[in-house]
Amino acid sequence: MDVYDALRFSVARISNELFSAGSIFSVYSLATTFVIAVCALAYQRKIRRGRVNLRAIARAIFSRKILLTASFAADVKLFVLSVVFMPVVVGALVISSNAVATVVSAALHSSFGATAPVACCDLSIKVFSTVVLFLAYEIGYWVDHWLKHRIPFLWEFHKVHHTAEALTPVTNFRNHPIDNIFFGYMLAIFIGSAAGALAWLFGRTTESFTVDGKNILFLFFLWTIGHLQHSQFWIPFRGLLGHIVLSPAHHQIHHSTHPEHFNRNFGSVLAVWDWMYGSLEMPSKTNPRLKYGVEEEGADPHSAFGLLATPIVRAALALWRALADAWRAGIERMEQRRQRPKSTGIF
């Protein structure tokens, strides 16, 4: 591949990401997000000041203070890396959900026997499958996110996302490649298992409502408030709605540097998993002006070295410490067993 072909490949990747309706960063979903952001800001300013200044709203949305930060520049670099190169890497290293579905369906068939193919109710089955696969994605996302905040080795890679000090829709791509690979495995396991169970339950492969391979329920969220989760706009859901759906403010709390907000609101779309687990933090009605980022010493978190190399070094050290701790714990258990007095009774 010469320079011209490489350039065409890169442009095609970025163009597909921007102009595919099912893309997580399409201009269409960004446009709807923009409209919702304008309406939300206009409503808030109308309530507070009794009038709406569209020029002030435009300045708030396209803030030069945010767009000129090193954090935003780093997000853009990782956007290019994620869009152009990561699909090839992840596709080569991560098992597909179809492979998992085949294994799960075969295991259920072997354990419980075959089920007769359901020949009717195609629309109902398609709706049911859409909901089940959406829930599988949501649970997989939550488990993946929870593990990355609890296991030091995984946290060192996931921390790259949390080093963002200015949240914009591009921050969604601020992920270390290894973090993306682990996420790909997790989704393949959960979505593939759900698809395999559906195939066994209905005796045939089921379809769901998708656009460019993306579940329409997820895309509905993305086209409405999804991009606003990584933004400066405080849009809170409270009451029962805030216990079911994660608003932009919920996720902004997750990025907060305040200790009370650590390890809260792990979900993607649904808040119910955090509600069930006890990690749900409800947003306040008014904007608390949160600070974002990760406070620690070391390499510049917005440099190429800090984004890509430092996490690998720190993850290796975390893994080494975990293995050393496990080794010491095993030695201590063996010593305790040796020191136990032997029984001399009849029994």
Side-chain angles (χ1 to χ4, degrees), residues 17-21 23-38 61-62 79 168-173 219 221-228 230 233:
E17 191 69 33
L18 291 176
F19 298 105
S20 173
S23 164
I24 65 172
F25 201 67
S26 70
V27 294
Y28 315 113
S29 60
L30 288 170
T32 59
T33 296
F34 173 79
V35 172
I36 292 171
V38 169
I61 294 176
F62 301 105
F79 166 77
T168 73
V170 190
T171 306
N172 190 56
F173 294 91
L219 288 178
F221 163 78
L222 188 68
W223 280 51
T224 52
I225 62 171
H227 290 302
L228 293 173
H230 294 108
F233 312 130

Side-chain angles (χ1 to χ4, degrees), residues 318-339:
L319 182 60
W320 175 258
R321 287 192 294 268
L323 293 174
D325 291 342
W327 176 264
R328 284 193 294 268
I331 295 297
E332 289 176 1
R333 285 195 295 268
M334 292 177 63
E335 290 295 332
Q336 291 173 359
R337 290 176 182 174
R338 289 197 189 102
Q339 295 172 6

Side-chain angles (χ1 to χ4, degrees), residues 109-334:
H109 183 280
S110 176
S111 300
F112 303 104
T115 53
V118 177
C120 68
C121 314
D122 287 346
L123 178 60
S124 298
I125 292 174
K126 195 170 184 177
V127 170
F128 181 75
S129 298
T130 301
V131 173
V132 168
L133 294 177
F134 170 72
L135 292 176
Y137 169 86
E138 284 293 298
I139 296 173
Y141 181 101
W142 192 95
V143 172
D144 171 85
H145 207 172
W146 183 86
L147 288 174
K148 288 172 179 174
H149 277 256
R150 294 297 182 180
I151 300 175
F153 169 74
L154 296 176
W155 166 247
E156 293 300 336
F157 295 114
H158 181 63
K159 186 166 60 177
V160 170
H161 182 67
H162 282 268
T163 56
E165 296 167 351
L167 300 184
T168 73
V170 190
T171 306
N172 190 56
F173 294 91
R174 191 190 182 100
N175 304 301
H176 194 278
I178 295 178
D179 190 5
N180 284 336
I181 290 172
F182 189 86
F183 182 58
Y185 272 108
M186 192 63 69
L187 289 189
I189 291 170
F190 277 85
I191 295 177
S193 296
L198 288 170
W200 172 80
L201 179 65
F202 294 109
R204 59 186 173 91
T205 301
T206 62
E207 296 181 351
S208 58
F209 290 101
T210 62
V211 176
D212 294 334
K214 302 291 193 312
N215 190 292
I216 62 166
L217 295 179
F218 172 77
L219 288 178
F220 175 79
F221 163 78
L222 188 68
W223 280 51
T224 52
I225 62 171
H227 290 302
L228 293 173
Q229 286 190 332
H230 294 108
S231 74
Q232 304 295 314
F233 312 130
W234 189 256
I235 303 176
F237 293 168
R238 296 171 54 77
L240 180 60
L241 179 61
H243 284 80
I244 298 174
V245 179
L246 287 169
S247 66
H250 279 86
H251 194 72
Q252 288 158 21
I253 286 173
H254 178 75
H255 277 266
S256 170
T257 58
H258 199 292
E260 291 184 359
H261 297 154
F262 292 171
N263 300 322
R264 312 292 289 178
N265 300 346
F266 292 112
S268 171
V269 177
L270 300 179
V272 291
W273 320 121
D274 285 299
W275 186 13
M276 292 167 58
Y277 185 75
S279 56
L280 181 64
E281 182 75 21
M282 293 293 289
S284 59
K285 187 175 181 180
T286 57
N287 191 342
R289 304 298 176 184
L290 299 175
K291 182 181 178 181
Y292 308 117
V294 176
E295 298 176 355
E296 64 177 6
E297 298 180 358
D300 178 4
H302 309 306
S303 67
F305 189 86
L307 290 168
L308 300 175
T310 301
I312 294 176
V313 174
R314 289 180 172 168
L317 292 174
L319 182 60
W320 175 258
R321 287 192 294 268
L323 293 174
D325 291 342
W327 176 264
R328 284 193 294 268
I331 295 297
E332 289 176 1
R333 285 195 295 268
M334 292 177 63

Side-chain angles (χ1 to χ4, degrees), residues 57-121:
I57 292 175
R59 286 198 301 268
I61 294 176
F62 301 105
S63 172
R64 292 181 61 187
K65 183 179 178 181
I66 294 174
L67 298 180
L68 296 178
T69 61
S71 179
F72 177 73
D75 291 352
V76 173
K77 294 173 187 176
L78 284 177
F79 166 77
V80 175
L81 177 66
S82 298
V83 172
V84 177
F85 299 108
M86 280 308 298
V88 178
V89 176
V90 173
L93 296 180
V94 178
I95 57 174
S96 70
S97 58
N98 289 335
V100 176
T102 300
V103 172
V104 170
S105 179
L108 290 172
H109 183 280
S110 176
S111 300
F112 303 104
T115 53
V118 177
C120 68
C121 314

